[in-house]
Amino acid sequence: MKLHRKTLEVKSSSGTDIVDLTREVLAAVKESGVKDGQILVFVPGSTGSVTTIEYESGVIQDLKEAIERLLPEGITYLHDKKWGDGNGYSHVRAALMKPSLTIPLVEGRPLLGTWQQVVLLDFDNRPRNRRVFLQVMGV
Amino acid sequence: MKLHRKTLEVKSSSGTDIVDLTREVLAAVKESGVKDGQILVFVPGSTGSVTTIEYESGVIQDLKEAIERLLPEGITYLHDKKWGDGNGYSHVRAALMKPSLTIPLVEGRPLLGTWQQVVLLDFDNRPRNRRVFLQVMGV
Amino acid sequence: MKLHRKTLEVKSSSGTDIVDLTREVLAAVKESGVKDGQILVFVPGSTGSVTTIEYESGVIQDLKEAIERLLPEGITYLHDKKWGDGNGYSHVRAALMKPSLTIPLVEGRPLLGTWQQVVLLDFDNRPRNRRVFLQVMGV
């Protein structure tokens, strides 16, 4: 059983930036030499999440608008009254969408559909230098 | 450490079909011989998700209606303007609910509650032959 | 490869109780002796979930209010008509937020941000004695 880890440095912009990490995920799996197992993608911090989506500008915008409808930026959050960071909505979005995702590996590749990319969602209200952690486990 | 994998073929209907996979999950764990570890359930593609719920017709319908309220089919999605598949809402639903779920195994069984079943959510707008991937890992 | 498991007993109150489990998660990782790997946090049953959030009273309340807006308690659920438990909304909330979370371990510690705690969300409409399962896997 091998364990291989890699930390990505991702520059993200404010306003629910959605960043395609698929190339980096594929590279980490290749470097690991793992053929059969899984990759865990995890973003530390409480204003980011990870999921999969077709990385196509239309549906990326659809997802941003859906999140804004569900968890609007412009309403009152108690977090902002206390801390004044103005990113209460970012915290709530990240808590609902969670910071981790696990993808199985088969024959040395993540088992993603053709139109399925791995993305970081950065919900914060300012540009960030994000760290995204990749852990490959398997044989 | 053992790794055992199995691909399920699932016929799903359109309109947020919710399919009980518990029997297949239990079978895969049994076949694997793993007593202590975990099972990863993953649906490749960008219009499906996996979660747990009590598989009871009332609450299954409640979940469908909640998803329709949160992420309605009938509003405008940019994805549909570009690609014309009419399933922009399916992509957004799947991105929010994610394609994977990990369940721990204890004494050779998934640690599910009595009223907790493993389900595929197929959000697509047409019937699909889905593949669902099961990976059992442990000792 | 080590596998270490621990079951927490958590007393939760009704009304989307959000309970900080970080101390217990840290303790389980330390007990396991695992330096490099991951911890799976899983709540059996169909009315609870696990996520991460900054455990600060303002944003905890913001999250509760967001969940109530998205999936209100006071509307009609078919589950309640059939079973009369009055917790149809709890089931739908838990299905959407899922029962599991995986966190990577680096140098013997979960890779959490400073303002990122691991929490149980108990959506049930009555106080519960919850079991939360922790599984540490790695080397």
Side-chain angles (χ1 to χ4, degrees), chain A residues 1 3 5 40 42 44-46 70-71 75 77-79 82-83 91-92 95-96 98-100 133 135 137, chain C residues 1 36-38 50-52 54 56-59 61-62 66 69-70 97-98 100 102 104 106 111 115-116:
Chain A
M1 205 77 170
L3 267 170
R5 68 196 203 204
L40 169 63
F42 185 88
S46 47
L70 295 174
L71 302 160
I75 63 174
Y77 291 90
L78 297 171
H79 183 68
K82 285 200 163 180
W83 300 95
H91 286 263
V92 173
L96 280 161
K98 302 194 185 183
S100 74
F133 186 82
Q135 183 187 70
M137 186 161 54
Chain C
M1 205 76 170
D36 191 5
Q38 54 183 237
V50 185
T51 190
T52 62
E54 182 179 346
E56 172 275 301
S57 63
V59 78
Q61 185 61 26
D62 290 331
R69 276 194 307 274
L70 295 174
M97 290 204 59
K98 302 193 185 183
S100 74
T102 302
V106 176
L111 194 70
W115 315 112
Q116 183 180 26

Side-chain angles (χ1 to χ4, degrees), chain C residues 39-98:
Chain C
I39 182 165
L40 168 63
V41 186
F42 185 88
V43 52
S46 47
T47 56
S49 295
V50 185
T51 190
T52 62
I53 193 168
E54 182 179 346
Y55 204 81
E56 172 275 301
S57 63
V59 78
I60 293 294
Q61 185 61 26
D62 290 331
L63 178 59
K64 290 183 188 184
E65 291 176 10
I67 292 168
E68 173 59 27
R69 276 194 307 274
L70 295 174
L71 303 160
E73 182 177 350
I75 62 174
T76 301
Y77 291 90
L78 296 172
H79 183 68
D80 298 335
K81 291 197 172 176
K82 285 202 164 180
W83 300 94
D85 292 341
N87 68 351
Y89 74 100
S90 317
H91 285 263
V92 173
R93 290 174 181 190
L96 280 161
M97 290 204 59
K98 302 193 185 183

Side-chain angles (χ1 to χ4, degrees), chain B residues 62-133:
Chain B
D62 289 331
L63 178 59
K64 289 183 188 184
E65 291 176 10
I67 291 168
E68 173 60 27
R69 276 194 307 273
L70 295 173
L71 303 161
E73 181 176 350
I75 63 175
T76 300
Y77 291 89
L78 297 172
H79 183 69
D80 298 334
K81 292 197 171 175
K82 285 200 164 182
W83 299 96
D85 292 340
N87 68 351
Y89 74 100
S90 318
H91 285 263
V92 173
R93 291 175 181 189
L96 279 160
M97 291 204 59
K98 301 193 185 182
S100 73
L101 181 73
T102 302
I103 305 162
L105 309 178
V106 176
E107 296 171 13
R109 285 182 64 87
L111 195 68
L112 296 165
T114 312
W115 315 113
Q116 183 180 26
Q117 279 74 49
V118 181
V119 293
L120 165 69
L121 295 101
D122 192 329
F123 296 119
D124 221 328
N125 63 347
R126 57 186 172 88
R128 296 284 300 262
N129 290 309
R130 284 281 181 194
R131 294 193 172 184
V132 178
F133 185 82

Side-chain angles (χ1 to χ4, degrees), chain B residues 36-54:
Chain B
D36 192 5
Q38 54 184 237
I39 182 165
L40 168 63
V41 186
F42 185 87
V43 52
S46 47
T47 55
S49 295
V50 185
T51 190
T52 63
I53 193 167
E54 181 180 345

Side-chain angles (χ1 to χ4, degrees), chain A residues 34-52:
Chain A
V34 171
K35 300 299 177 196
D36 192 4
Q38 53 184 238
I39 182 166
L40 169 63
V41 186
F42 185 88
V43 52
S46 47
T47 56
S49 295
V50 185
T51 191
T52 63

Side-chain angles (χ1 to χ4, degrees), chain A residues 78-97:
Chain A
L78 297 171
H79 183 68
D80 298 335
K81 292 198 171 174
K82 285 200 163 180
W83 300 95
D85 291 340
N87 67 352
Y89 74 99
S90 318
H91 286 263
V92 173
R93 291 174 181 190
L96 280 161
M97 289 204 59

Side-chain angles (χ1 to χ4, degrees), chain A residues 1, chain B residues 1-4 32-39 105 135-139, chain C residues 1 3 135 137:
Chain A
M1 205 77 170
Chain B
M1 206 75 169
K2 289 180 203 168
L3 267 170
H4 174 79
S32 74
V34 171
K35 300 298 176 196
D36 192 5
Q38 54 184 237
I39 182 165
L105 309 178
Q135 184 186 72
V136 186
M137 186 160 54
V139 291
Chain C
M1 205 76 170
L3 266 170
Q135 184 187 71
M137 186 160 55

